[in-house]
Amino acid sequence: MTDAHVEAPFHELTPLHASETPYDEETLRSLHADADLVVARYPQKRSALLPLLHLIQSVDGYVTGRGVSFCAQKLELTDAEVSGVATFYTQYKRHPNGEYTVGVCTNTLCAVMGGDLIFDTLSEYLGIGHDETTPDGKVTLERVECNAACDYAPVVMANWEFIDNQTPASATQLVDDLRAGKEVRPTRGAARVCSFKHVSRVLAGFNDGLADEGVGAGGPSLEGLRLAKADGFDPYASSGEIRGDSDAESPADDMAPGLAGSTDTPANPADSKAGEKAGDK
């Protein structure tokens, strides 16, 4: 391992940073008050761990050692249990995250439409790689497996707000604007890109009132529905009515006895045996 690697704790496998600095009294009081609201939503305390980790990131900017200890004490878990969850999901950061996370989709469709080129361009332009942060602390760059917006490929997200139909040039302008502190307007969703800490608080379950500000589903997403309606298709009709057969068999009628729905877990042992017998025929 080189000295350069040791000095730059921005690698995705960096362990969680221990923190010798405790929360100040005011911050701790606020954390407890917010955490109590989150925990109250769940019948079991431990179920609140995921939103509480986002809450920690809204204060510290990443999952700190003191944040892990806070969650553990609040939920009556061990530090190891909390750390195991915090190091499993990529939305929980193990080191200081940038003010803006810029995620470039490089999954199949976005990749062939230019996603790989966009990522490579930004990586070279910013001088950082995947899950690394610019020296000014403004931008963390990520490869994203899928932004679930294939109809707008290639897609870039800034703190999980959609920036659609991107090119290397437009993506470069995006990071320039973010670093310069300019207001960036997503293509859809909220009317502006907010900071990583702000968004982390929303992910913890605190509404910021911005969800309905901007455009919702756009034209490409609704094109299939438009064509279906033009063809006389009623999406609210039953399967039998759609096929013009009011006596059409229910999909459940085609299943083996004892098996229903999309799972193969029987309701009871008797159902299981019935299903096995039907399958042996």
Side-chain angles (χ1 to χ4, degrees):
M1 184 178 293
T2 66
D3 291 340
H5 182 82
V6 173
E7 291 170 2
F10 294 121
H11 191 270
E12 60 179 333
L13 299 182
T14 301
L16 290 169
H17 286 206
S19 177
E20 300 295 333
T21 307
Y23 290 112
D24 62 72
E25 206 170 296
E26 183 178 347
T27 301
L28 191 59
R29 189 185 307 114
S30 178
L31 268 175
H32 275 295
D34 287 339
D36 286 341
L37 292 174
V38 174
V39 173
R41 301 171 189 156
Y42 298 92
Q44 295 186 35
K45 279 186 174 182
R46 68 182 300 132
S47 298
L49 178 55
L50 297 181
L52 281 194
L53 287 170
H54 285 299
L55 182 64
I56 292 300
Q57 293 197 138
S58 76
V59 174
D60 289 336
Y62 67 108
V63 179
T64 55
R66 65 184 182 180
V68 167
S69 297
F70 174 85
C71 291
Q73 293 166 13
K74 198 72 180 176
L75 303 178
E76 299 177 5
L77 300 171
T78 65
D79 283 11
E81 288 174 309
V82 175
S83 296
V85 173
T87 56
F88 184 82
Y89 296 103
T90 57
Q91 272 194 319
Y92 300 127
K93 305 303 180 180
R94 309 182 192 189
H95 47 72
N97 197 72
E99 186 176 353
Y100 300 98
T101 296
V102 174
V104 182
C105 183
T106 55
N107 208 334
T108 308
L109 185 56
C110 279
V112 300
M113 295 291 286
D116 285 333
L117 180 58
I118 290 173
F119 181 87
D120 292 343
T121 299
L122 290 181
S123 179
E124 182 177 357
Y125 182 70
L126 297 172
I128 56 176
H130 169 71
D131 198 31
E132 294 182 349
T133 303
T134 53
D136 60 6
K138 289 290 185 179
V139 172
T140 295
L141 182 64
E142 288 186 340
R143 283 184 179 273
V144 179
E145 186 62 22
C146 182
N147 279 327
C150 303
D151 40 359
Y152 293 95
V155 174
V156 173
M157 296 195 90
N159 285 345
W160 300 288
E161 297 291 354
F162 288 109
I163 315 293
D164 300 323
N165 300 314
Q166 289 297 284
T167 65
S170 64
T172 301
Q173 185 62 55
L174 168 67
V175 296
D176 279 345
D177 289 345
L178 291 172
R179 297 178 79 182
K182 296 181 180 179
E183 184 175 283
V184 173
R185 299 180 66 85
T187 311
R188 294 168 287 132
R192 61 189 181 278
V193 174
C194 299
S195 70
F196 178 79
K197 288 185 177 181
H198 179 110
V199 174
S200 293
R201 183 170 175 80
V202 175
L203 291 172
F206 295 91
N207 186 6
D208 64 356
L210 305 181
D212 298 320
E213 272 190 349
V215 178
S221 299
L222 300 174
E223 183 64 12
L225 180 60
R226 187 191 68 78
L227 292 172
K229 286 183 175 179
D231 197 37
F233 175 78
D234 183 356
Y236 300 104
S238 69
S239 59
E241 291 171 339
I242 290 171
R243 291 182 295 181
D245 180 5
S246 59
D247 297 324
E249 291 183 352
S250 165
D253 294 337
D254 298 329
M255 294 184 179
L259 302 181
S262 60
T263 69
D264 58 1
T265 304
N268 54 56
D271 289 342
S272 177
K273 290 179 181 178
E276 289 172 2
K277 289 178 180 179
D280 291 338
K281 291 180 180 179

